[in-house]
Amino acid sequence: MRLIVIIILLITSCTTSSKFQTKTQTIRIPSKFQIENLQTELLEMIKLDQLYRQQIVELKENASKVDSSLIDSLLSQQKTMDTLNTVKLLEISKRFGFPNTTRFKGIPAFLIFQHSPTQYFPEINELIEREYNAERLPPMEYEMIKWHLNGRQGTPFKISIDQ
């Protein structure tokens, strides 16, 4: 956790970046140093996003042998992690634009918003609409996030095969 705080401090205090103005906000273009730090931070966020989920799935597979309070504890920790990751990704996106897989070496940052708590849905929706319209959020990533925000009904996106 200290490493993440240090990285955030470095990102905000030790670098320079360009910026451009959109109709609704100023987006900074990250410097090479900032991009490297953001990539490291995003990778750590993805790792933490999946950490408890993998453990919970494994424990549920052996539910008859596992105390349910352990699963409940992990679920609680995961919800806390989801909230922290959501807040961080919102901050990063507001400052630099959405860190899509093209801009950040295939890092699937959109997964963070797929696990976001409902209290953040309005803010996420506003952000992803703006980022999609500014072409900083690819259609598939946009659809995956919208699928979560809309209650995970049906499939996240349509696939058509032309013959």
Side-chain angles (χ1 to χ4, degrees), residues 1-14 37 40-41 44-45 48 84 88 91 95:
M1 188 61 139
R2 288 183 186 180
L3 176 62
I4 293 172
V5 171
I6 291 170
I7 291 171
I8 290 171
L9 288 174
L10 284 172
I11 290 170
T12 58
S13 64
C14 297
N37 286 325
T40 300
E41 185 172 5
E44 185 64 24
M45 290 168 64
L48 293 172
L84 292 172
K88 282 185 209 173
E91 289 171 1
R95 187 163 179 199

PDB file of all heavy atoms in Angstrom, residues 1-14 37 40-41 44-45 48 84 88 91 95:
ATOM      1  N   MET A   1       0.831  -1.186   0.000  1.00  0.00           N
ATOM      2  CA  MET A   1       0.000   0.000   0.000  1.00  0.00           C
ATOM      3  C   MET A   1       0.882   1.259   0.000  1.00  0.00           C
ATOM      4  O   MET A   1       0.556   2.226  -0.638  1.00  0.00           O
ATOM      5  CB  MET A   1      -0.925  -0.055   1.206  1.00  0.00           C
ATOM      6  CG  MET A   1      -1.957   1.033   1.184  1.00  0.00           C
ATOM      7  SD  MET A   1      -3.000   0.883  -0.252  1.00  0.00           S
ATOM      8  CE  MET A   1      -4.542   1.239   0.442  1.00  0.00           C
ATOM      9  N   ARG A   2       1.991   1.199   0.758  1.00  0.00           N
ATOM     10  CA  ARG A   2       2.900   2.344   0.784  1.00  0.00           C
ATOM     11  C   ARG A   2       3.487   2.605  -0.591  1.00  0.00           C
ATOM     12  O   ARG A   2       3.676   3.747  -0.975  1.00  0.00           O
ATOM     13  CB  ARG A   2       4.021   2.108   1.787  1.00  0.00           C
ATOM     14  CG  ARG A   2       3.563   2.201   3.210  1.00  0.00           C
ATOM     15  CD  ARG A   2       4.712   2.027   4.146  1.00  0.00           C
ATOM     16  NE  ARG A   2       4.220   1.990   5.506  1.00  0.00           N
ATOM     17  CZ  ARG A   2       4.988   1.853   6.549  1.00  0.00           C
ATOM     18  NH1 ARG A   2       6.289   1.734   6.395  1.00  0.00           N
ATOM     19  NH2 ARG A   2       4.465   1.828   7.743  1.00  0.00           N
ATOM     20  N   LEU A   3       3.768   1.514  -1.318  1.00  0.00           N
ATOM     21  CA  LEU A   3       4.321   1.657  -2.659  1.00  0.00           C
ATOM     22  C   LEU A   3       3.353   2.421  -3.554  1.00  0.00           C
ATOM     23  O   LEU A   3       3.768   3.298  -4.317  1.00  0.00           O
ATOM     24  CB  LEU A   3       4.624   0.281  -3.259  1.00  0.00           C
ATOM     25  CG  LEU A   3       5.123   0.272  -4.703  1.00  0.00           C
ATOM     26  CD1 LEU A   3       6.452   1.012  -4.811  1.00  0.00           C
ATOM     27  CD2 LEU A   3       5.280  -1.142  -5.180  1.00  0.00           C
ATOM     28  N   ILE A   4       2.089   2.126  -3.439  1.00  0.00           N
ATOM     29  CA  ILE A   4       1.086   2.803  -4.265  1.00  0.00           C
ATOM     30  C   ILE A   4       1.035   4.284  -3.915  1.00  0.00           C
ATOM     31  O   ILE A   4       0.982   5.139  -4.804  1.00  0.00           O
ATOM     32  CB  ILE A   4      -0.288   2.129  -4.100  1.00  0.00           C
ATOM     33  CG1 ILE A   4      -0.231   0.718  -4.692  1.00  0.00           C
ATOM     34  CG2 ILE A   4      -1.389   2.956  -4.744  1.00  0.00           C
ATOM     35  CD1 ILE A   4      -1.451  -0.116  -4.427  1.00  0.00           C
ATOM     36  N   VAL A   5       1.088   4.608  -2.626  1.00  0.00           N
ATOM     37  CA  VAL A   5       1.070   6.006  -2.201  1.00  0.00           C
ATOM     38  C   VAL A   5       2.310   6.726  -2.727  1.00  0.00           C
ATOM     39  O   VAL A   5       2.228   7.845  -3.226  1.00  0.00           O
ATOM     40  CB  VAL A   5       0.979   6.110  -0.663  1.00  0.00           C
ATOM     41  CG1 VAL A   5       1.173   7.546  -0.199  1.00  0.00           C
ATOM     42  CG2 VAL A   5      -0.339   5.564  -0.164  1.00  0.00           C
ATOM     43  N   ILE A   6       3.464   6.079  -2.643  1.00  0.00           N
ATOM     44  CA  ILE A   6       4.704   6.683  -3.152  1.00  0.00           C
ATOM     45  C   ILE A   6       4.599   6.919  -4.648  1.00  0.00           C
ATOM     46  O   ILE A   6       4.983   7.980  -5.147  1.00  0.00           O
ATOM     47  CB  ILE A   6       5.915   5.788  -2.800  1.00  0.00           C
ATOM     48  CG1 ILE A   6       6.151   5.815  -1.280  1.00  0.00           C
ATOM     49  CG2 ILE A   6       7.167   6.249  -3.548  1.00  0.00           C
ATOM     50  CD1 ILE A   6       7.157   4.801  -0.785  1.00  0.00           C
ATOM     51  N   ILE A   7       4.077   5.936  -5.369  1.00  0.00           N
ATOM     52  CA  ILE A   7       3.931   6.091  -6.819  1.00  0.00           C
ATOM     53  C   ILE A   7       3.007   7.259  -7.146  1.00  0.00           C
ATOM     54  O   ILE A   7       3.304   8.070  -8.018  1.00  0.00           O
ATOM     55  CB  ILE A   7       3.433   4.784  -7.460  1.00  0.00           C
ATOM     56  CG1 ILE A   7       4.530   3.716  -7.396  1.00  0.00           C
ATOM     57  CG2 ILE A   7       2.994   5.013  -8.901  1.00  0.00           C
ATOM     58  CD1 ILE A   7       4.084   2.335  -7.807  1.00  0.00           C
ATOM     59  N   ILE A   8       1.901   7.359  -6.423  1.00  0.00           N
ATOM     60  CA  ILE A   8       0.966   8.462  -6.669  1.00  0.00           C
ATOM     61  C   ILE A   8       1.648   9.800  -6.397  1.00  0.00           C
ATOM     62  O   ILE A   8       1.508  10.750  -7.169  1.00  0.00           O
ATOM     63  CB  ILE A   8      -0.307   8.296  -5.828  1.00  0.00           C
ATOM     64  CG1 ILE A   8      -1.121   7.107  -6.350  1.00  0.00           C
ATOM     65  CG2 ILE A   8      -1.156   9.569  -5.849  1.00  0.00           C
ATOM     66  CD1 ILE A   8      -2.285   6.727  -5.480  1.00  0.00           C
ATOM     67  N   LEU A   9       2.399   9.874  -5.303  1.00  0.00           N
ATOM     68  CA  LEU A   9       3.115  11.120  -5.006  1.00  0.00           C
ATOM     69  C   LEU A   9       4.126  11.456  -6.088  1.00  0.00           C
ATOM     70  O   LEU A   9       4.255  12.613  -6.491  1.00  0.00           O
ATOM     71  CB  LEU A   9       3.811  11.013  -3.648  1.00  0.00           C
ATOM     72  CG  LEU A   9       2.896  11.056  -2.430  1.00  0.00           C
ATOM     73  CD1 LEU A   9       3.687  10.780  -1.159  1.00  0.00           C
ATOM     74  CD2 LEU A   9       2.171  12.381  -2.338  1.00  0.00           C
ATOM     75  N   LEU A  10       4.852  10.446  -6.560  1.00  0.00           N
ATOM     76  CA  LEU A  10       5.805  10.687  -7.638  1.00  0.00           C
ATOM     77  C   LEU A  10       5.108  11.169  -8.898  1.00  0.00           C
ATOM     78  O   LEU A  10       5.573  12.084  -9.573  1.00  0.00           O
ATOM     79  CB  LEU A  10       6.599   9.411  -7.946  1.00  0.00           C
ATOM     80  CG  LEU A  10       7.690   9.041  -6.949  1.00  0.00           C
ATOM     81  CD1 LEU A  10       8.243   7.658  -7.268  1.00  0.00           C
ATOM     82  CD2 LEU A  10       8.794  10.073  -6.971  1.00  0.00           C
ATOM     83  N   ILE A  11       4.004  10.535  -9.206  1.00  0.00           N
ATOM     84  CA  ILE A  11       3.272  10.911 -10.418  1.00  0.00           C
ATOM     85  C   ILE A  11       2.806  12.349 -10.347  1.00  0.00           C
ATOM     86  O   ILE A  11       2.909  13.096 -11.308  1.00  0.00           O
ATOM     87  CB  ILE A  11       2.072   9.962 -10.637  1.00  0.00           C
ATOM     88  CG1 ILE A  11       2.568   8.578 -11.038  1.00  0.00           C
ATOM     89  CG2 ILE A  11       1.114  10.513 -11.682  1.00  0.00           C
ATOM     90  CD1 ILE A  11       1.484   7.525 -11.048  1.00  0.00           C
ATOM     91  N   THR A  12       2.315  12.751  -9.183  1.00  0.00           N
ATOM     92  CA  THR A  12       1.735  14.085  -9.083  1.00  0.00           C
ATOM     93  C   THR A  12       2.742  15.189  -8.842  1.00  0.00           C
ATOM     94  O   THR A  12       2.475  16.342  -9.129  1.00  0.00           O
ATOM     95  CB  THR A  12       0.670  14.131  -7.968  1.00  0.00           C
ATOM     96  OG1 THR A  12       1.288  13.743  -6.723  1.00  0.00           O
ATOM     97  CG2 THR A  12      -0.487  13.226  -8.283  1.00  0.00           C
ATOM     98  N   SER A  13       3.951  14.843  -8.360  1.00  0.00           N
ATOM     99  CA  SER A  13       4.862  15.920  -7.986  1.00  0.00           C
ATOM    100  C   SER A  13       6.148  16.019  -8.785  1.00  0.00           C
ATOM    101  O   SER A  13       6.745  17.081  -8.838  1.00  0.00           O
ATOM    102  CB  SER A  13       5.205  15.797  -6.502  1.00  0.00           C
ATOM    103  OG  SER A  13       5.902  14.595  -6.265  1.00  0.00           O
ATOM    104  N   CYS A  14       6.608  14.941  -9.383  1.00  0.00           N
ATOM    105  CA  CYS A  14       7.955  14.940  -9.950  1.00  0.00           C
ATOM    106  C   CYS A  14       8.004  14.945 -11.470  1.00  0.00           C
ATOM    107  O   CYS A  14       9.071  14.716 -12.034  1.00  0.00           O
ATOM    108  CB  CYS A  14       8.713  13.710  -9.447  1.00  0.00           C
ATOM    109  SG  CYS A  14       8.935  13.705  -7.667  1.00  0.00           S
ATOM    110  N   ASN A  37       5.071   4.742 -14.647  1.00  0.00           N
ATOM    111  CA  ASN A  37       4.525   4.623 -13.295  1.00  0.00           C
ATOM    112  C   ASN A  37       3.052   4.230 -13.319  1.00  0.00           C
ATOM    113  O   ASN A  37       2.608   3.436 -12.493  1.00  0.00           O
ATOM    114  CB  ASN A  37       4.721   5.918 -12.513  1.00  0.00           C
ATOM    115  CG  ASN A  37       6.154   6.104 -12.086  1.00  0.00           C
ATOM    116  OD1 ASN A  37       6.845   5.141 -11.765  1.00  0.00           O
ATOM    117  ND2 ASN A  37       6.628   7.329 -12.086  1.00  0.00           N
ATOM    118  N   THR A  40       2.776   0.518 -14.053  1.00  0.00           N
ATOM    119  CA  THR A  40       3.077  -0.258 -12.846  1.00  0.00           C
ATOM    120  C   THR A  40       1.889  -0.233 -11.895  1.00  0.00           C
ATOM    121  O   THR A  40       1.484  -1.270 -11.356  1.00  0.00           O
ATOM    122  CB  THR A  40       4.332   0.312 -12.144  1.00  0.00           C
ATOM    123  OG1 THR A  40       5.432   0.245 -13.051  1.00  0.00           O
ATOM    124  CG2 THR A  40       4.660  -0.456 -10.881  1.00  0.00           C
ATOM    125  N   GLU A  41       1.311   0.937 -11.688  1.00  0.00           N
ATOM    126  CA  GLU A  41       0.168   1.059 -10.784  1.00  0.00           C
ATOM    127  C   GLU A  41      -1.040   0.290 -11.314  1.00  0.00           C
ATOM    128  O   GLU A  41      -1.720  -0.413 -10.564  1.00  0.00           O
ATOM    129  CB  GLU A  41      -0.188   2.531 -10.578  1.00  0.00           C
ATOM    130  CG  GLU A  41      -1.297   2.713  -9.559  1.00  0.00           C
ATOM    131  CD  GLU A  41      -1.541   4.165  -9.193  1.00  0.00           C
ATOM    132  OE1 GLU A  41      -0.930   5.063  -9.792  1.00  0.00           O
ATOM    133  OE2 GLU A  41      -2.357   4.372  -8.294  1.00  0.00           O
ATOM    134  N   GLU A  44      -0.618  -3.429 -10.806  1.00  0.00           N
ATOM    135  CA  GLU A  44      -0.844  -3.771  -9.397  1.00  0.00           C
ATOM    136  C   GLU A  44      -2.337  -3.757  -9.077  1.00  0.00           C
ATOM    137  O   GLU A  44      -2.834  -4.633  -8.355  1.00  0.00           O
ATOM    138  CB  GLU A  44      -0.084  -2.791  -8.493  1.00  0.00           C
ATOM    139  CG  GLU A  44      -0.161  -3.121  -7.025  1.00  0.00           C
ATOM    140  CD  GLU A  44       0.485  -4.438  -6.636  1.00  0.00           C
ATOM    141  OE1 GLU A  44       1.382  -4.923  -7.357  1.00  0.00           O
ATOM    142  OE2 GLU A  44       0.100  -4.993  -5.592  1.00  0.00           O
ATOM    143  N   MET A  45      -3.056  -2.795  -9.617  1.00  0.00           N
ATOM    144  CA  MET A  45      -4.506  -2.736  -9.394  1.00  0.00           C
ATOM    145  C   MET A  45      -5.195  -3.973  -9.967  1.00  0.00           C
ATOM    146  O   MET A  45      -6.080  -4.548  -9.321  1.00  0.00           O
ATOM    147  CB  MET A  45      -5.084  -1.454 -10.013  1.00  0.00           C
ATOM    148  CG  MET A  45      -4.679  -0.192  -9.279  1.00  0.00           C
ATOM    149  SD  MET A  45      -5.058   1.325 -10.197  1.00  0.00           S
ATOM    150  CE  MET A  45      -6.846   1.273 -10.266  1.00  0.00           C
ATOM    151  N   LEU A  48      -4.476  -6.961  -7.730  1.00  0.00           N
ATOM    152  CA  LEU A  48      -5.301  -6.916  -6.521  1.00  0.00           C
ATOM    153  C   LEU A  48      -6.776  -7.158  -6.830  1.00  0.00           C
ATOM    154  O   LEU A  48      -7.499  -7.742  -6.027  1.00  0.00           O
ATOM    155  CB  LEU A  48      -5.109  -5.575  -5.804  1.00  0.00           C
ATOM    156  CG  LEU A  48      -3.719  -5.352  -5.223  1.00  0.00           C
ATOM    157  CD1 LEU A  48      -3.576  -3.927  -4.704  1.00  0.00           C
ATOM    158  CD2 LEU A  48      -3.404  -6.363  -4.133  1.00  0.00           C
ATOM    159  N   LEU A  84     -11.427   0.826  -3.507  1.00  0.00           N
ATOM    160  CA  LEU A  84     -10.156   1.538  -3.629  1.00  0.00           C
ATOM    161  C   LEU A  84      -9.696   1.609  -5.084  1.00  0.00           C
ATOM    162  O   LEU A  84      -9.271   2.668  -5.562  1.00  0.00           O
ATOM    163  CB  LEU A  84      -9.083   0.857  -2.778  1.00  0.00           C
ATOM    164  CG  LEU A  84      -9.266   0.930  -1.264  1.00  0.00           C
ATOM    165  CD1 LEU A  84      -8.239   0.046  -0.553  1.00  0.00           C
ATOM    166  CD2 LEU A  84      -9.174   2.360  -0.771  1.00  0.00           C
ATOM    167  N   LYS A  88      -9.235   5.000  -7.501  1.00  0.00           N
ATOM    168  CA  LYS A  88      -7.955   5.267  -8.173  1.00  0.00           C
ATOM    169  C   LYS A  88      -8.132   5.388  -9.681  1.00  0.00           C
ATOM    170  O   LYS A  88      -7.567   6.287 -10.303  1.00  0.00           O
ATOM    171  CB  LYS A  88      -6.954   4.149  -7.886  1.00  0.00           C
ATOM    172  CG  LYS A  88      -6.316   4.223  -6.545  1.00  0.00           C
ATOM    173  CD  LYS A  88      -5.263   3.132  -6.457  1.00  0.00           C
ATOM    174  CE  LYS A  88      -5.074   2.672  -5.046  1.00  0.00           C
ATOM    175  NZ  LYS A  88      -4.196   1.511  -4.956  1.00  0.00           N
ATOM    176  N   GLU A  91      -9.696   8.634 -10.641  1.00  0.00           N
ATOM    177  CA  GLU A  91      -8.730   9.733 -10.553  1.00  0.00           C
ATOM    178  C   GLU A  91      -7.773   9.729 -11.744  1.00  0.00           C
ATOM    179  O   GLU A  91      -7.509  10.775 -12.337  1.00  0.00           O
ATOM    180  CB  GLU A  91      -7.932   9.618  -9.242  1.00  0.00           C
ATOM    181  CG  GLU A  91      -8.754   9.930  -8.017  1.00  0.00           C
ATOM    182  CD  GLU A  91      -8.025   9.601  -6.715  1.00  0.00           C
ATOM    183  OE1 GLU A  91      -6.863   9.138  -6.748  1.00  0.00           O
ATOM    184  OE2 GLU A  91      -8.637   9.809  -5.656  1.00  0.00           O
ATOM    185  N   ARG A  95      -7.611  12.592 -14.859  1.00  0.00           N
ATOM    186  CA  ARG A  95      -6.376  13.349 -15.076  1.00  0.00           C
ATOM    187  C   ARG A  95      -5.769  13.103 -16.456  1.00  0.00           C
ATOM    188  O   ARG A  95      -5.292  14.039 -17.105  1.00  0.00           O
ATOM    189  CB  ARG A  95      -5.368  12.973 -14.002  1.00  0.00           C
ATOM    190  CG  ARG A  95      -4.143  13.820 -14.055  1.00  0.00           C
ATOM    191  CD  ARG A  95      -3.359  13.735 -12.801  1.00  0.00           C
ATOM    192  NE  ARG A  95      -2.184  14.577 -12.953  1.00  0.00           N
ATOM    193  CZ  ARG A  95      -1.110  14.475 -12.230  1.00  0.00           C
ATOM    194  NH1 ARG A  95      -1.052  13.597 -11.284  1.00  0.00           N
ATOM    195  NH2 ARG A  95      -0.089  15.262 -12.448  1.00  0.00           N
TER     196      ARG A  95
END
